[in-house]
Amino acid sequence: MKNIQIDDTLGIPKYRQIINSIYQGILNGNLKLGDKIPSLNQICAEFDLSRDTVMVAFNELKAKGIISSIPGKGYYINSTEVNVDQRIFLLFDELNAFKEDVYTSFLNSLDIKSNVDIYFHHFNFQLFKDLILEAAGNYTSYVIMPATFDYTVDILSVLPKDNVYILDRKKADLADYPVIYQDFEADVYEALQSGEDLLKKYEKLVMVFPGGKEPEGRMTGFQKYCEEHKIKYEIVRSLINRPIERGEAYFVPSDRNLVKLVKMAAENKLTLGQDFGLVSFNDTMLKEVVAGGITTISTDFQLMGKTLAKMVSERSKEQVSNPSTLIRRNSL
């Protein structure tokens, strides 16, 4: 008990004195990595404290990664990095070029006293669930990207609600959580409106929409625009047995289909932006130079990372729509 100091005369909450005692023990070398600390019951008995008071202290130390528990054995020093104010759990669906932009921007916008652990669920629901259950109680903040998963509110209920932030998609069952999201339907509709001067030279607009992990809002926004503006259009699931036609503009959420169309154009000696149009989604540096420049409909991923960092740091409860735009290049 020598490492726990409680002074009734101080105007500092008892739970905070417990935390400060552990920090001081680490800083002066009395507590080292792997050392066992007094149990909850021992501290309660020694200082006549309630279990709730001690548990608040232990939960904060655990969330910051300073201590960890081994069932049936007790609590141990898990980290000696006491200068970390925030320990953030970041759960992405997958890593790709634009998610890397979000992640890098998020890290660069946090203060130096924040640690971020990043995980990926790869659109595997069981993995999504397991990672969240394992993370519960071990972090000060949780950033969750549900992606295609619906009805996840019960899974997220194991996390402290005030410390959870939803990223990229706005979900009906998670309406009470702060979120930074893309409005996929509105983004596509407004992008097409802003590019009317480019689209009018094409006889038909074609969206190659494979479904799966792609957000349905992109397809509905495309369809809504074409029908309201009485534009001839087509939605296809794949490019198999679907040749490129002159006078058509293709919209491809999948980068795999983007590559296929660029190759098909070269094979048929068709010029992008002249013989046919091509629009991709989610801008990257590579799309600036591929085939002379690919036009994209894209949200601002760097801004998304900055906004997320501000939201987590300030404990904001906002629901923010991240802006999207049509980025004009030679392919349209």
Side-chain angles (χ1 to χ4, degrees):
M1 297 297 297
K2 65 180 181 179
N3 290 307
I4 307 297
Q5 303 293 325
I6 302 292
D7 187 341
D8 291 331
T9 66
L10 295 177
I12 301 173
K14 303 293 177 59
Y15 83 90
R16 181 56 58 189
Q17 292 190 50
I18 296 172
I19 293 170
N20 291 344
S21 294
I22 298 298
Y23 281 178
Q24 190 57 48
I26 291 171
L27 290 171
N28 62 27
N30 290 333
L31 286 174
K32 297 180 175 60
L33 197 65
D35 283 354
K36 188 175 182 180
I37 65 172
S39 71
L40 187 150
N41 289 334
Q42 286 175 318
I43 296 174
C44 288
E46 178 72 19
F47 299 105
D48 193 25
L49 300 175
S50 71
R51 287 181 61 87
D52 286 346
T53 296
V54 182
M55 187 53 71
V56 168
F58 277 25
N59 283 343
E60 181 170 327
L61 288 165
K62 190 178 177 184
K64 290 186 175 181
I66 301 301
I67 65 173
S68 61
S69 61
I70 299 177
K73 292 188 176 180
Y75 288 87
Y76 295 81
I77 299 298
N78 185 62
S79 171
T80 56
E81 296 181 20
V82 296
N83 290 323
V84 174
D85 286 340
Q86 291 197 86
R87 190 162 180 252
I88 302 167
F89 173 80
L90 181 60
L91 181 56
F92 275 5
D93 48 19
E94 62 182 358
L95 182 61
N96 47 40
F98 45 92
K99 300 287 174 50
E100 188 174 353
D101 287 343
V102 176
Y103 177 62
T104 302
S105 176
F106 179 57
L107 288 184
N108 290 341
S109 301
L110 290 169
D111 62 52
I112 59 174
K113 292 186 177 182
S114 298
N115 278 352
V116 179
D117 291 340
I118 185 169
Y119 297 86
F120 304 95
H121 57 71
H122 302 290
F123 301 93
N124 181 316
F125 187 79
Q126 187 60 51
L127 181 57
F128 173 83
K129 180 179 179 180
D130 290 345
L131 288 170
I132 289 174
L133 292 177
E134 290 170 9
N138 295 324
Y139 294 88
T140 57
S141 298
Y142 303 82
V143 178
I144 309 295
M145 187 178 285
T148 55
F149 303 140
D150 294 318
Y151 313 113
T152 60
V153 65
D154 288 342
I155 296 173
L156 267 62
S157 67
V158 303
L159 305 176
K161 189 172 183 179
D162 287 343
N163 300 334
V164 176
Y165 306 86
I166 308 303
L167 187 62
D168 199 45
R169 303 197 193 190
K170 194 175 184 182
K171 299 287 187 176
D173 64 319
L174 303 178
D176 294 335
Y177 287 89
V179 58
I180 304 170
Y181 65 96
Q182 298 185 63
D183 188 337
F184 296 103
E185 180 175 329
D187 289 346
V188 171
Y189 186 93
E190 291 167 8
L192 294 177
Q193 277 194 316
S194 72
E196 282 182 352
D197 59 312
L198 298 174
L199 296 174
K200 63 184 180 182
K201 67 181 179 181
Y202 297 102
E203 300 171 7
K204 185 179 182 181
L205 306 185
V206 180
M207 175 169 276
V208 185
F209 190 81
K213 65 184 181 181
E214 303 295 344
E216 293 282 331
R218 285 183 176 149
M219 182 176 66
T220 55
F222 173 81
Q223 188 172 21
K224 178 182 177 182
Y225 174 83
C226 291
E227 291 180 353
E228 287 186 2
H229 292 77
K230 296 181 172 53
I231 295 172
K232 187 177 180 181
Y233 75 95
E234 182 182 0
I235 297 173
V236 298
R237 291 295 179 180
S238 80
L239 290 168
I240 297 174
N241 300 322
R242 179 57 166 82
I244 299 176
E245 299 288 347
R246 293 178 185 272
E248 294 183 340
Y250 294 82
F251 295 77
V252 285
S254 163
D255 285 352
R256 183 180 295 273
N257 284 328
L258 169 65
V259 173
K260 284 183 180 179
L261 279 167
V262 171
K263 289 177 67 177
M264 289 167 68
E267 290 167 0
N268 291 280
K269 295 182 171 51
L270 297 176
T271 303
L272 280 172
Q274 296 180 26
D275 298 319
F276 77 104
L278 182 56
V279 179
S280 178
F281 291 81
N282 300 322
D283 200 43
T284 64
M285 290 180 63
L286 189 60
K287 292 175 186 178
E288 294 180 27
V289 296
V290 167
I294 302 295
T295 297
T296 61
I297 298 173
S298 181
T299 196
D300 187 333
F301 292 107
Q302 291 191 0
L303 178 61
M304 181 179 279
K306 290 178 183 178
T307 305
L308 177 62
K310 185 173 185 292
M311 183 177 284
V312 171
S313 298
E314 297 179 357
R315 299 291 181 193
S316 170
K317 302 304 175 188
E318 294 180 273
Q319 296 193 339
V320 180
S321 176
N322 206 61
S324 182
T325 187
L326 176 73
I327 302 174
R328 297 169 174 239
R329 298 194 182 106
N330 292 335
S331 70
L332 197 61

